[in-house]
Amino acid sequence: MVSTTDVAKHAGVSQTTVSRVLNKPDQVKKETYNKVMAAVNELNYSADAKEEARPPITKTKTISLIAGAVDDPIFIGAAPAIISYAKERGYHVNVHFVGENSMDAYNIALASKADGLVVASVLLNDSIHEKLIHSNIPFILMNSSYKNSQHSIGLNNEEAGYLATSYLLAGEHEEIAWVGGKLDNPTYKERFTGFIYALQEAGSKIRKKRLVIADTDKSSLQEAFNSLQELKKKPTAIVAATDEIAIQLMDFYKEAGYQIPKDISIIGIGNSEIGQHSVLSLTSVGSADDLANLGQETIKRLFDRITLGQDEAFNVNREVCLFKRNTTG
């Protein structure tokens, strides 16, 4: 049985063109019309005949997760819950990391025509946000910064940096250093902003040599530690942007013969499960709820937008608190 696909192939045109010739001949050029009709006659195609049944094309149900960096603490804690919940609902999750050319990740994600988007730990500008809006794909910002966001959820990172620093200041530490990741990541940027606010409020001097902005791999943190050790007036306390950074610094200081907190106090941010372990007992600022629940709430709210069409604005900012343990004095 002859199909429109066969006609298209015989005429050397697309199947869309064949359809247009048969249904809207006034919209095609005479040359194209003649070519297609010649193929129709030669193959004895009949529009009344039923074409060979073909299996329907099914669209894979997908969620795109756009993340600022693979080492971002919020992404690491929340992503498994997002992926697991989506899988339970029959959705596949594609993860895209924002590199130097941030538009590439967004273009790829949007071109995939995903059913929904989670944008995790990135700084959005107006053009990217407009691109997301005009895609008509439901999306939620998770721990991502944009002043006019309508659907967002995250931790109060600025308050976390502020609380950690204020706690050390209250303990009469004057030489406080900051060690954190690069400030193009909103998690690090907001926590660093809170650190600066606390110093300013207390009237403490902000010494640039004690503000260490670095990559968060072990070798980069070793360099950060070395730079602090080279200071004539060494810090008596450190605010680390994440628990993971704090734990790595604890190792360096212990290897150098320091006793924590007798010789130096270290506080992290995140209240991670590993930091809570009795061997480490890391003082930290974070949410009493773990990051897996943040991921689960994010993906559930996204599914409400996808399946129920809920479009009411919400901006959820989870509060943080101090968890005093054994690394500060």
Side-chain angles (χ1 to χ4, degrees):
M1 189 175 293
V2 180
S3 68
T4 54
T5 304
D6 299 321
V7 174
K9 187 175 180 181
H10 190 78
V13 297
S14 69
Q15 192 172 0
T16 301
T17 300
V18 172
S19 177
R20 192 175 294 122
V21 167
L22 296 175
N23 298 297
K24 298 178 180 179
D26 57 309
Q27 294 183 8
V28 296
K29 294 179 180 178
K30 185 177 180 181
E31 180 183 349
T32 303
Y33 175 84
N34 291 337
K35 187 192 297 185
V36 171
M37 290 310 296
V40 167
N41 293 328
E42 288 169 18
L43 297 175
N44 291 318
Y45 169 78
S46 171
D48 295 327
K50 292 184 178 179
E51 294 192 12
E52 182 181 352
R54 290 179 173 80
I57 298 172
T58 56
K59 181 182 180 293
T60 304
K61 297 191 289 186
T62 60
I63 302 295
S64 283
L65 172 55
I66 303 173
V70 69
D71 65 344
D72 176 74
I74 304 296
F75 169 76
I76 292 170
I82 291 173
I83 293 168
S84 176
Y85 186 86
K87 187 177 180 181
E88 289 174 7
R89 299 289 295 268
Y91 286 72
H92 177 74
V93 177
N94 294 321
V95 181
H96 310 271
F97 291 104
V98 176
E100 290 183 6
N101 185 356
S102 62
M103 285 307 301
D104 286 350
Y106 295 102
N107 288 336
I108 292 169
L110 295 177
S112 70
K113 300 295 183 185
D115 297 278
L117 300 168
V118 174
V119 184
S121 296
V122 297
L123 291 171
L124 293 175
N125 57 36
D126 289 341
S127 63
I128 291 175
H129 192 260
E130 283 299 307
K131 198 175 186 74
L132 292 173
I133 293 290
H134 291 313
S135 73
N136 292 320
I137 298 174
F139 69 91
I140 290 181
L141 307 185
M142 184 183 74
N143 200 56
S144 294
S145 293
Y146 185 71
K147 58 186 182 296
N148 296 320
S149 62
Q150 295 296 305
H151 304 95
S152 68
I153 181 170
L155 295 182
N156 193 335
N157 287 305
E158 194 172 295
E159 179 68 9
Y162 177 86
L163 276 180
T165 312
S166 296
Y167 175 69
L168 294 175
L169 289 166
E172 299 186 354
H173 287 282
E174 294 181 0
E175 311 300 327
I176 303 174
W178 165 269
V179 180
K182 294 184 176 178
L183 302 184
D184 57 356
N185 180 306
T187 304
Y188 297 132
K189 182 179 180 181
E190 291 166 9
R191 293 175 182 181
F192 176 71
T193 299
F195 171 83
I196 295 296
Y197 281 166
L199 291 180
Q200 290 174 333
E201 184 178 85
S204 297
K205 288 184 179 179
I206 299 172
R207 304 181 189 276
K208 288 186 178 180
K209 289 185 178 180
R210 292 204 192 98
L211 306 179
V212 182
I213 310 297
D215 289 324
T216 57
D217 58 277
K218 184 176 180 179
S219 62
S220 297
L221 291 176
Q222 178 73 66
E223 291 177 15
F225 168 76
N226 293 341
S227 70
L228 292 174
Q229 288 296 89
E230 290 169 2
L231 295 176
K232 190 173 182 179
K233 205 168 186 179
K234 296 178 177 57
T236 61
I238 292 176
V239 177
T242 67
D243 285 359
E244 291 74 17
I245 293 173
I247 291 166
Q248 186 62 73
L249 291 174
M250 287 169 63
D251 280 348
F252 294 148
Y253 276 104
K254 286 179 180 179
E255 288 169 4
Y258 282 69
Q259 293 183 40
I260 303 170
K262 181 180 177 182
D263 300 321
I264 188 162
S265 290
I266 299 177
I267 186 169
I269 299 176
N271 193 36
S272 65
E273 188 172 343
I274 189 170
Q276 297 172 35
H277 195 284
S278 59
V279 174
L280 296 171
S281 194
L282 174 68
T283 298
S284 184
V285 172
S287 170
D289 209 1
D290 70 24
L291 291 175
N293 290 334
L294 177 70
Q296 191 165 72
E297 182 176 353
T298 300
I299 191 67
K300 283 181 177 179
R301 284 178 177 269
L302 180 61
F303 273 108
D304 285 345
R305 295 202 64 201
I306 294 170
T307 60
L308 302 178
Q310 292 185 3
D311 204 36
E312 285 186 24
F314 60 84
N315 291 286
V316 179
N317 213 5
R318 290 192 171 189
E319 292 305 314
V320 293
C321 55
L322 177 76
F323 296 88
K324 187 183 182 309
R325 300 189 181 100
N326 298 337
T327 60
T328 52

